[in-house]
Short mmCIF file of all heavy atoms in Angstrom, two decimals:
data_model
loop_
_atom_site.label_atom_id
_atom_site.label_comp_id
_atom_site.label_asym_id
_atom_site.label_seq_id
_atom_site.Cartn_x
_atom_site.Cartn_y
_atom_site.Cartn_z
N TYR A 867 3.07 7.22 -11.30
CA TYR A 867 2.88 7.80 -12.61
C TYR A 867 3.34 9.21 -12.65
O TYR A 867 4.04 9.64 -13.53
CB TYR A 867 1.41 7.70 -13.07
CG TYR A 867 1.22 8.21 -14.42
CD1 TYR A 867 1.52 7.32 -15.51
CD2 TYR A 867 0.72 9.45 -14.69
CE1 TYR A 867 1.32 7.74 -16.83
CE2 TYR A 867 0.46 9.84 -16.01
CZ TYR A 867 0.87 8.99 -17.00
OH TYR A 867 0.64 9.38 -18.35
N ASN A 868 2.94 9.97 -11.57
CA ASN A 868 3.47 11.30 -11.45
C ASN A 868 3.29 11.78 -9.94
O ASN A 868 2.72 11.06 -9.15
CB ASN A 868 2.76 12.29 -12.37
CG ASN A 868 1.30 12.49 -12.20
OD1 ASN A 868 0.79 12.33 -11.08
ND2 ASN A 868 0.59 12.74 -13.24
N GLN A 874 -1.68 25.06 0.18
CA GLN A 874 -2.96 25.31 0.77
C GLN A 874 -2.85 26.43 1.79
O GLN A 874 -2.10 26.30 2.74
CB GLN A 874 -3.49 24.00 1.44
CG GLN A 874 -4.88 24.22 1.91
CD GLN A 874 -5.52 22.89 2.57
OE1 GLN A 874 -4.76 22.04 3.01
NE2 GLN A 874 -6.85 22.92 2.51
N GLY A 877 -7.99 27.95 5.35
CA GLY A 877 -9.34 28.15 4.91
C GLY A 877 -9.64 28.15 3.47
O GLY A 877 -10.71 28.48 2.97
N LYS A 878 -8.61 27.78 2.70
CA LYS A 878 -8.79 27.80 1.28
C LYS A 878 -8.54 26.43 0.66
O LYS A 878 -8.11 25.43 1.34
CB LYS A 878 -7.71 28.70 0.65
CG LYS A 878 -7.73 30.13 1.15
CD LYS A 878 -8.91 30.90 0.50
CE LYS A 878 -9.01 32.32 1.03
NZ LYS A 878 -7.85 33.12 0.59
N GLY A 879 -8.83 26.25 -0.60
CA GLY A 879 -8.54 25.02 -1.27
C GLY A 879 -7.07 24.87 -1.63
O GLY A 879 -6.26 25.68 -1.25
N LEU A 880 -6.80 23.82 -2.43
CA LEU A 880 -5.39 23.55 -2.82
C LEU A 880 -5.11 24.20 -4.12
O LEU A 880 -5.95 24.19 -5.07
CB LEU A 880 -5.12 22.07 -2.90
CG LEU A 880 -4.92 21.25 -1.69
CD1 LEU A 880 -6.12 21.22 -0.83
CD2 LEU A 880 -4.44 19.90 -2.00
N SER A 882 -2.34 23.92 -7.21
CA SER A 882 -1.31 23.14 -7.80
C SER A 882 -0.03 24.06 -8.14
O SER A 882 -0.22 25.11 -8.69
CB SER A 882 -1.76 22.46 -9.04
OG SER A 882 -0.69 21.65 -9.63
N LEU A 885 3.85 19.77 -11.25
CA LEU A 885 3.48 18.38 -11.51
C LEU A 885 4.69 17.76 -12.16
O LEU A 885 5.25 18.28 -13.23
CB LEU A 885 2.29 18.27 -12.33
CG LEU A 885 1.75 16.86 -12.62
CD1 LEU A 885 0.24 16.84 -12.90
CD2 LEU A 885 2.47 16.16 -13.88
N ARG A 929 0.34 9.92 -7.87
CA ARG A 929 -0.60 9.09 -8.59
C ARG A 929 0.08 7.78 -8.88
O ARG A 929 1.06 7.71 -9.55
CB ARG A 929 -1.00 9.81 -9.89
CG ARG A 929 -1.98 8.98 -10.58
CD ARG A 929 -2.56 9.69 -11.94
NE ARG A 929 -3.24 10.96 -11.57
CZ ARG A 929 -4.40 11.09 -11.09
NH1 ARG A 929 -5.14 10.02 -10.88
NH2 ARG A 929 -4.90 12.23 -10.82
N TYR A 932 -1.46 5.18 -14.28
CA TYR A 932 -2.09 5.92 -15.31
C TYR A 932 -3.60 5.95 -15.19
O TYR A 932 -4.27 6.93 -15.30
CB TYR A 932 -1.71 5.47 -16.69
CG TYR A 932 -2.36 6.18 -17.81
CD1 TYR A 932 -2.00 7.54 -18.19
CD2 TYR A 932 -3.45 5.54 -18.59
CE1 TYR A 932 -2.65 8.13 -19.24
CE2 TYR A 932 -4.09 6.25 -19.51
CZ TYR A 932 -3.71 7.53 -19.91
OH TYR A 932 -4.40 8.23 -20.86
N THR A 934 -5.42 5.02 -12.60
CA THR A 934 -6.07 5.03 -11.28
C THR A 934 -6.76 6.38 -10.97
O THR A 934 -6.23 7.45 -11.44
CB THR A 934 -5.02 4.81 -10.17
OG1 THR A 934 -5.64 4.78 -8.95
CG2 THR A 934 -3.90 5.81 -10.15
N ASP A 935 -7.84 6.35 -10.26
CA ASP A 935 -8.53 7.53 -9.91
C ASP A 935 -7.93 8.27 -8.75
O ASP A 935 -8.26 9.44 -8.49
CB ASP A 935 -10.04 7.19 -9.52
CG ASP A 935 -10.09 6.14 -8.43
OD1 ASP A 935 -9.97 6.46 -7.25
OD2 ASP A 935 -10.08 4.97 -8.85
N LEU A 937 -5.34 10.07 -6.08
CA LEU A 937 -4.17 10.79 -5.73
C LEU A 937 -3.97 10.46 -4.20
O LEU A 937 -4.91 10.48 -3.46
CB LEU A 937 -4.30 12.30 -5.89
CG LEU A 937 -4.13 12.98 -7.19
CD1 LEU A 937 -4.36 14.49 -7.17
CD2 LEU A 937 -2.71 12.65 -7.76
N ARG B 888 -20.23 27.29 2.12
CA ARG B 888 -18.80 27.34 2.54
C ARG B 888 -18.82 26.71 4.02
O ARG B 888 -17.84 26.08 4.37
CB ARG B 888 -18.23 28.67 2.56
CG ARG B 888 -18.07 29.29 1.18
CD ARG B 888 -17.02 28.45 0.37
NE ARG B 888 -15.85 28.16 1.09
CZ ARG B 888 -14.84 29.04 1.29
NH1 ARG B 888 -14.88 30.21 0.81
NH2 ARG B 888 -13.72 28.68 1.98
N GLN B 916 -10.98 16.22 3.99
CA GLN B 916 -9.70 16.45 4.68
C GLN B 916 -9.91 16.45 6.14
O GLN B 916 -10.62 17.29 6.69
CB GLN B 916 -9.16 17.75 4.14
CG GLN B 916 -7.70 18.07 4.72
CD GLN B 916 -7.10 19.38 4.21
OE1 GLN B 916 -7.75 20.37 4.01
NE2 GLN B 916 -5.79 19.37 3.98
N LEU B 922 -5.87 14.25 2.76
CA LEU B 922 -7.08 14.26 1.89
C LEU B 922 -7.33 12.82 1.41
O LEU B 922 -6.43 12.16 1.01
CB LEU B 922 -6.81 15.09 0.68
CG LEU B 922 -6.99 16.60 0.92
CD1 LEU B 922 -5.73 17.31 1.09
CD2 LEU B 922 -7.74 17.22 -0.38
N LEU B 924 -10.10 10.47 -1.06
CA LEU B 924 -11.00 10.53 -2.16
C LEU B 924 -12.35 9.85 -1.75
O LEU B 924 -12.33 8.69 -1.33
CB LEU B 924 -10.49 9.89 -3.41
CG LEU B 924 -11.35 10.00 -4.72
CD1 LEU B 924 -11.52 11.40 -5.21
CD2 LEU B 924 -10.66 9.09 -5.79
N TYR B 927 -15.56 9.98 -7.44
CA TYR B 927 -15.15 10.77 -8.63
C TYR B 927 -16.08 10.53 -9.84
O TYR B 927 -16.86 9.55 -9.78
CB TYR B 927 -13.67 10.57 -8.99
CG TYR B 927 -13.32 9.35 -9.80
CD1 TYR B 927 -13.09 9.48 -11.15
CD2 TYR B 927 -13.34 8.07 -9.14
CE1 TYR B 927 -12.76 8.35 -11.88
CE2 TYR B 927 -12.99 7.01 -9.91
CZ TYR B 927 -12.68 7.13 -11.21
OH TYR B 927 -12.40 6.02 -11.98
N PHE B 969 -13.67 19.03 -0.13
CA PHE B 969 -13.16 19.71 -1.32
C PHE B 969 -13.61 19.05 -2.51
O PHE B 969 -13.58 17.82 -2.66
CB PHE B 969 -11.64 19.73 -1.26
CG PHE B 969 -11.00 20.66 -0.25
CD1 PHE B 969 -10.48 20.13 0.99
CD2 PHE B 969 -10.97 22.01 -0.42
CE1 PHE B 969 -9.99 20.98 1.94
CE2 PHE B 969 -10.45 22.89 0.55
CZ PHE B 969 -9.95 22.31 1.63
N LEU B 977 -7.21 12.07 -16.67
CA LEU B 977 -7.29 11.78 -15.28
C LEU B 977 -5.93 12.15 -14.58
O LEU B 977 -5.91 12.49 -13.38
CB LEU B 977 -7.56 10.33 -15.04
CG LEU B 977 -7.96 9.84 -13.66
CD1 LEU B 977 -9.23 10.57 -13.18
CD2 LEU B 977 -8.20 8.31 -13.69
N THR B 978 -4.85 12.10 -15.36
CA THR B 978 -3.60 12.34 -14.81
C THR B 978 -3.09 13.77 -14.80
O THR B 978 -2.01 14.03 -14.35
CB THR B 978 -2.54 11.45 -15.51
OG1 THR B 978 -2.61 11.78 -16.91
CG2 THR B 978 -2.75 9.97 -15.35
N THR B 980 -3.30 17.92 -13.89
CA THR B 980 -3.35 18.75 -12.66
C THR B 980 -4.80 18.83 -12.26
O THR B 980 -5.74 19.07 -13.09
CB THR B 980 -2.74 20.13 -12.92
OG1 THR B 980 -1.37 20.01 -13.21
CG2 THR B 980 -2.95 21.00 -11.65
N GLN B 981 -5.04 18.68 -10.92
CA GLN B 981 -6.39 18.91 -10.40
C GLN B 981 -6.55 20.29 -9.84
O GLN B 981 -5.71 20.80 -9.17
CB GLN B 981 -6.67 17.84 -9.37
CG GLN B 981 -6.78 16.45 -9.80
CD GLN B 981 -7.32 15.46 -8.82
OE1 GLN B 981 -7.81 15.79 -7.79
NE2 GLN B 981 -7.25 14.17 -9.17
N PHE B 983 -8.75 22.76 -7.40
CA PHE B 983 -9.61 22.52 -6.24
C PHE B 983 -10.53 23.73 -6.05
O PHE B 983 -10.14 24.89 -6.20
CB PHE B 983 -8.73 22.28 -4.99
CG PHE B 983 -8.23 20.86 -4.90
CD1 PHE B 983 -7.25 20.51 -5.73
CD2 PHE B 983 -8.74 20.05 -4.02
CE1 PHE B 983 -6.65 19.15 -5.62
CE2 PHE B 983 -8.32 18.77 -3.88
CZ PHE B 983 -7.23 18.30 -4.73
N GLY B 984 -11.69 23.44 -5.44
CA GLY B 984 -12.57 24.52 -4.98
C GLY B 984 -12.09 24.97 -3.55
O GLY B 984 -11.16 24.37 -2.97
N PRO B 985 -12.85 25.89 -3.00
CA PRO B 985 -12.37 26.47 -1.68
C PRO B 985 -12.75 25.69 -0.44
O PRO B 985 -12.22 26.02 0.59
CB PRO B 985 -13.14 27.89 -1.67
CG PRO B 985 -14.36 27.58 -2.53
CD PRO B 985 -13.92 26.74 -3.62
#
Side-chain angles (χ1 to χ4, degrees):
Chain A
Y867 186 78
N868 61 33
Q874 185 176 26
K878 302 285 181 64
L880 281 69
S882 180
L885 184 151
R929 182 175 297 285
Y932 176 75
T934 182
D935 53 88
L937 277 180
Chain B
R888 294 294 314 280
Q916 185 176 35
L922 278 99
L924 182 66
Y927 80 104
F969 288 100
L977 193 59
T978 53
T980 298
Q981 290 190 12
F983 282 75

